[in-house]
Amino acid sequence: MSKKISQKKQVNLTNNETNKQRTTYCVWVAYDGSNFFGWAQQEGLRTIEGTIIKTLARTFNVSIIIHGSSRTDKGVHAYDQVFTFSLPVMIDVEKMAVILNQHFREAIKIKKVKIVANDYNLRDHVKNKEYRYYINCGAFDPFKLNYQYQYGQKLSVHKLKKVAKLFIGQHYFYNFSGLKKDDKHNPNRVINKIKVYRKKKIVIITMKAKGFVRYQVRYLVAAMLDYCQNKVTLDEINNYLSPKQKDKYQYPKAFASGLFLYKTKLIK
């Protein structure tokens, strides 16, 4: 698929009066979030969603609205984000993937495209999401500064697993989130699985759930590390999971560097 062909598509989408039926595309995308202000579109800021919308609108010469499966924070990366958008024309999914990848820069990579029903609600089809947090316990690595938390000291996997057990299941995560008192999002979430393991000098924490509230993963990782550093006890962490606890978690959330939206599993 040449660039000339993709530009021809750009002209035809608005001029072809016979294209009354819209086609909805489900797109799997990976991105390096280092130089973006997160996923969600924000006025005057470079975001993943904003960049995708502008690129699609310019490519196809039509107004575009996209719906993402997740909202990642500033500096957070994704191996497997998903979004949907519609066009007033049908294009073969393989050609669509080629066209899109021609117009995105190196930081954003289209992995797969699928056609879905026009009434397809992406959020309703998310079965679970898996986030992974990478911690470098070895020597400082400047080349991985944006992709691993440069912890630089020993870290007990045993203690991380011990505190992780507190978070598994359904809990009140308001005190481990960026939610405000007037926020309408439900702070109760169910974490299906937390896994902690080591690969040489890298400790990896994975969390799997249908959904997370804002900053939840980063606050939970922070609490796990704080416990390992004896800043907080298991009882204190457990108290923050209670609606009766009015004070939010007292220590900062973990750095965005090192966090990846690793997998988004959809209901078939």
Side-chain angles (χ1 to χ4, degrees):
M1 178 63 66
S2 67
K3 189 172 182 180
K4 184 176 181 181
I5 292 176
S6 66
Q7 290 174 336
K8 185 177 180 181
K9 291 283 185 184
Q10 179 183 19
V11 175
N12 288 343
L13 289 188
T14 54
N15 293 338
N16 190 345
E17 297 297 330
T18 63
N19 287 325
K20 302 297 183 182
Q21 178 63 45
R22 299 189 69 81
T23 303
T24 300
Y25 298 89
C26 189
V27 183
W28 282 256
V29 61
Y31 53 81
D32 182 336
S34 301
N35 297 315
F36 293 87
F37 284 81
W39 166 267
Q41 189 173 24
Q42 301 177 62
E43 186 68 30
L45 295 178
R46 184 172 184 249
T47 68
I48 300 291
E49 182 181 41
T51 299
I52 291 175
I53 288 173
K54 288 179 181 178
T55 302
L56 292 177
R58 183 173 62 247
T59 301
F60 299 110
N61 197 27
V62 293
S63 178
I64 293 290
I65 297 175
I66 71 174
H67 301 280
S69 62
S70 305
R71 289 190 173 192
T72 51
D73 307 331
K74 176 184 177 182
V76 175
H77 318 288
Y79 284 124
D80 200 42
Q81 170 73 288
V82 186
F83 69 90
T84 58
F85 74 100
S86 296
L87 291 177
V89 68
M90 179 178 288
I91 300 174
D92 176 81
V93 291
E94 292 185 1
K95 291 181 179 179
M96 176 64 78
V98 172
I99 291 171
L100 295 182
N101 274 319
Q102 284 179 342
H103 291 81
F104 286 112
R105 298 184 180 183
E106 292 83 357
I108 300 175
K109 172 70 176 180
I110 303 301
K111 297 169 61 179
K112 184 175 71 172
V113 180
K114 177 182 177 181
I115 293 176
V116 295
N118 286 328
D119 61 353
Y120 185 86
N121 188 317
L122 179 58
R123 292 294 180 97
D124 289 345
H125 283 79
V126 173
K127 186 174 183 179
N128 59 60
K129 304 171 189 176
E130 180 181 331
Y131 279 88
R132 293 193 178 186
Y133 197 91
Y134 295 82
I135 305 168
N136 177 24
C137 299
F140 175 79
D141 187 344
F143 300 105
K144 295 293 180 65
L145 186 61
N146 292 328
Y147 313 106
Q148 298 169 354
Y149 172 34
Q150 301 299 310
Y151 190 70
Q153 55 186 299
K154 291 182 179 180
L155 187 58
S156 170
V157 169
H158 173 72
K159 291 189 73 173
L160 289 173
K161 289 180 178 180
K162 189 174 182 179
V163 66
K165 291 179 180 179
L166 296 178
F167 303 133
I168 298 173
Q170 180 171 321
H171 296 286
Y172 175 82
F173 286 108
Y174 176 82
N175 294 323
F176 291 104
S177 77
L179 297 178
K180 307 296 184 183
K181 290 184 178 180
D182 58 349
D183 203 307
K184 295 182 180 179
H185 286 86
N186 185 351
N188 292 287
R189 290 291 188 273
V190 178
I191 294 184
N192 305 114
K193 184 178 181 180
I194 299 179
K195 183 179 178 182
V196 182
Y197 58 101
R198 187 190 306 273
K199 284 190 174 182
K200 296 183 178 179
K201 295 294 184 177
I202 307 301
V203 171
I204 303 167
I205 300 173
T206 73
M207 296 190 188
K208 185 181 292 185
K210 179 176 174 58
F212 298 88
V213 291
R214 189 181 187 192
Y215 299 147
Q216 180 184 344
V217 175
R218 291 170 62 187
Y219 270 113
L220 296 187
V221 169
M224 293 169 70
L225 294 176
D226 292 340
Y227 170 68
C228 289
Q229 294 178 0
N230 299 316
K231 290 183 179 180
V232 290
T233 66
L234 292 179
D235 286 340
E236 288 173 327
I237 292 174
N238 196 46
N239 286 339
Y240 282 109
L241 292 171
S242 171
K244 296 180 180 179
Q245 170 61 269
K246 302 304 179 183
D247 295 326
K248 284 204 162 191
Y249 187 65
Q250 60 182 315
Y251 296 110
K253 58 186 176 292
F255 293 116
S257 57
L259 182 58
F260 290 74
L261 174 56
Y262 188 81
K263 183 70 177 176
T264 302
K265 189 172 184 179
L266 303 182
I267 300 171
K268 295 182 180 180

